[in-house]
Amino acid sequence: MLLNTDQEVATYLDLREAGSFELLSFFRDLPSPGIKEMNGDYDATLLQQPSLAAEINGFFAVGLPFSPWLSKGFRPVNETEGRGYNSFRQLGKVIQRYPMRTMIAPSRYDGRDSYTLIYRAYRSMCGAINMVDEIRRVNDGLYLAIGTWGFTKRQRQIPLPFALRATDRPYAGDIGTPAASFVPSVREVPALTVRSITPLTSEGIN
């Protein structure tokens, strides 16, 4: 089904029914949320993936019935960066995993600003596989995101779409151990050649 590309009236259902190519095209038309806007816990849903292999990988990563992916949480750290986590349900409890640094950075797809999640800033499995997510705002409380991971440039170009929806749940708290001396590179943000990014400040490290 064709996606409703009117940003003002596009719905979560539109995103659920759209194909990955349509989602990436729509993503290119959307604005980035600001660092301060992303503050709280957001329901997360994997959308249609670009291939059967991506669908299978997505199921084992976030769709297992005994440990389903629930949400992402964010908080601003200062004017230019923030941090966050992923939440899963496991053994009847909600737990947080896979911390990330957040920042506004140029998109790998069009060079425009995206709210960008960089997992290598912290020690985790997602950091080890070079996971990076980009988020843009569809309309009030609804966000379209494109995830990537991989060990080669080609792998990291495969778009893995998901949706976030705002809730009234607060940010659950910081987790994770920062990776020593980590500074984002073109591996995480290919368009870094035209911009500079400051290292994570002490305020962002517990």
Side-chain angles (χ1 to χ4, degrees):
M1 179 177 291
L2 291 175
L3 177 70
N4 180 358
T5 56
D6 185 339
Q7 181 185 342
E8 296 299 322
V9 298
T11 67
Y12 172 65
L13 184 59
D14 289 324
L15 301 184
R16 291 291 304 268
E17 294 183 344
S20 59
F21 178 78
E22 293 170 304
L23 291 167
L24 183 58
S25 296
F26 188 41
F27 179 84
R28 289 182 167 127
D29 292 331
L30 300 176
S32 172
I35 286 290
K36 291 184 177 179
E37 176 178 338
M38 302 306 288
N39 192 355
D41 198 72
Y42 297 75
D43 287 340
T45 306
L46 202 64
L47 300 174
Q48 290 192 33
Q49 300 297 290
S51 66
L52 177 60
E55 293 278 0
I56 293 172
N57 287 336
F59 173 78
F60 282 101
V62 301
L64 293 173
F66 55 84
S67 184
W69 183 40
L70 302 177
S71 67
K72 287 182 182 288
F74 311 105
R75 75 168 179 92
V77 170
N78 56 36
E79 295 292 328
T80 61
E81 61 190 39
R83 57 187 298 175
Y85 57 78
N86 288 269
S87 290
F88 294 79
R89 185 179 301 282
Q90 187 169 347
L91 300 176
K93 297 181 179 180
V94 177
I95 62 172
Q96 280 70 48
R97 298 176 182 157
Y98 312 135
M100 81 288 283
R101 174 184 178 182
T102 68
M103 59 197 302
I104 305 299
S107 170
R108 73 176 64 236
Y109 297 107
D110 58 17
R112 296 171 52 237
D113 282 349
S114 289
Y115 184 86
T116 302
L117 286 52
I118 299 178
Y119 290 82
R120 284 192 68 238
Y122 293 87
R123 297 177 183 174
S124 78
M125 181 191 73
C126 289
I129 62 173
N130 304 308
M131 183 173 286
V132 174
D133 301 330
E134 297 184 21
I135 296 172
R136 287 182 175 168
R137 183 195 317 109
V138 177
N139 47 46
D140 188 27
L142 179 62
Y143 301 87
L144 174 60
I146 304 293
T148 58
W149 68 273
F151 303 100
T152 67
K153 183 177 179 181
R154 183 174 181 179
Q155 284 180 313
R156 294 192 294 271
Q157 287 293 333
I158 299 173
L160 308 170
F162 60 93
L164 297 177
R165 289 177 291 166
T167 73
D168 59 2
R169 297 190 301 269
Y171 182 75
D174 294 337
I175 62 169
T177 302
S181 304
F182 172 78
V183 176
S185 70
V186 293
R187 178 164 48 183
E188 291 81 34
V189 185
L192 265 182
T193 52
V194 295
R195 299 193 190 181
S196 62
I197 294 177
T198 56
L200 188 64
T201 66
S202 58
E203 189 180 1
I205 301 174
N206 282 340

